[in-house]
Amino acid sequence: MLILPDYPWDALAPYQQRAAQHPDRVLNLSIGTPVDPTPVLVREALAAASDAPGYPTTHGTPALRQAIADWYARRRNTTGLDPEHVMPTVGSKELVAWLPLLLGLGAGDVVVRPLVAYPTYDIGARLAGAEAVAADDLSTLDSAVRERVKLIWVNSPGNPTGIVRDVDSLAALVADARTLGAVVASDECYAELGWGDWDGTVIPGILDDRVCGGDHTGLLSVYSLSKQSNLAGYRAAFVAGAPELMPHLVNSRKHAGMIVPHPVQEAMRVALGDDGHVAEQKDRYRARRALLVPALEAFGLRIDHSEAGLYLWASAGEDTWTTISRLADLGIVAGPGTFYGDAGHGYVRIALTATDERIAAAAGRLTGAAQVAKRPAN
């Protein structure tokens, strides 16, 4: 029997119960599930394609694959992506979990993931019987590990940290990976949500012409529409690149029945052709971020990185669970940084994915607590 670690979020239950005792309702800013409406044009596309009696195609309809290639050219500085080298996936998490197995990795092989990372990278290695190793720079690995590296996960913008890797950093990683004969898979689902210097600037991805010079060999870009289009409930995502690997990935997924339903494929196609709703959603998150950042800082938290994405990566310079507890006393549930690896100790992750009213309430509680703390004792 396959025995996996307990799901980490279960450890948060006592703090959720504590926060729920707040008289003005709990404010859950821990899990980044979208709460805003799915765009009308996407819902209409889903409904229009709902008469779908036949089996959908694993590889994706030609129209969807062309829409994905066009989107990469328009939004991701990636020209020359052949629609044959694109495939829809049932959300991005399932691909993250199953990619090592689909690539044929096993005992003795190494999967590299970021130091602070989404736990599913480790789970994917474990499902394949491979070894997960945490590193942001391949040069930090000793030679015995380097020679066993078969897959390298990049997550930029990062979850939970919001770190963005620039063109030079990604290009150096690609060059190093190619000397090892390793595949680079880049999880890029927050790329439309850049802040500060990255607001309005194309965040580089692994297929960016500036990163790979137009050569997609050994490079897989993984993307999801959950964040930018509020399609988490549709499980709408895709993978692109690696012309030498894609036919095998498509074939394996055919055998396993990993197929995106046809109505969802049509919804994806329409969503990818419309940039307006993405900009509107980003404006919502920008406004929520503007409320939360100063409130968290007033409460004594330092915001690190967080250059892009749906989260604020924050530390009070104390144990993670101490911060989680203090926030729970305000009725606020945050994500423990410890869920994301040893390097996450001392941090909490605050999600922007709550309604405007709930974000405003959280900001009010944080600033109120800060003002109380500053009052002189009688």
Side-chain angles (χ1 to χ4, degrees), residues 328-378:
D329 288 339
L330 300 180
I332 297 172
V333 183
T338 52
F339 287 0
Y340 303 94
D342 291 342
H345 283 281
Y347 284 88
V348 296
R349 190 191 76 169
I350 310 291
L352 304 178
T353 51
T355 64
D356 292 347
E357 182 270 332
R358 295 282 83 191
I359 291 290
R365 292 183 196 180
L366 290 163
T367 53
Q371 291 168 358
V372 169
K374 288 180 180 179
R375 289 175 188 165
N378 290 334

Side-chain angles (χ1 to χ4, degrees), residues 185-199:
S186 183
D187 184 350
E188 303 172 354
C189 64
Y190 300 98
E192 291 275 17
L193 298 170
W195 313 115
D197 292 342
W198 292 107
D199 198 352

Side-chain angles (χ1 to χ4, degrees), residues 108-112 131-135 138 140-150 180:
D109 295 330
V110 167
V111 176
V112 176
E131 177 186 354
V133 174
L138 298 180
T140 63
L141 302 176
D142 64 44
S143 58
V145 174
R146 277 178 61 89
E147 66 186 16
R148 295 188 292 120
V149 173
K150 296 295 188 291
L180 301 176

Side-chain angles (χ1 to χ4, degrees), residues 272-296:
L272 286 163
D274 179 73
D275 297 333
H277 77 273
V278 180
E280 290 175 9
Q281 186 58 43
K282 184 175 180 179
D283 285 343
R284 294 186 186 107
Y285 287 133
R286 183 186 289 108
R288 293 166 187 168
R289 193 175 190 272
L291 281 177
L292 273 181
V293 167
L296 289 166

Side-chain angles (χ1 to χ4, degrees), residues 22 42 135 180 198 238 254 318 334-335:
H22 193 279
V42 178
L180 301 176
W198 292 107
F238 48 86
K254 285 180 180 178
E318 62 192 10

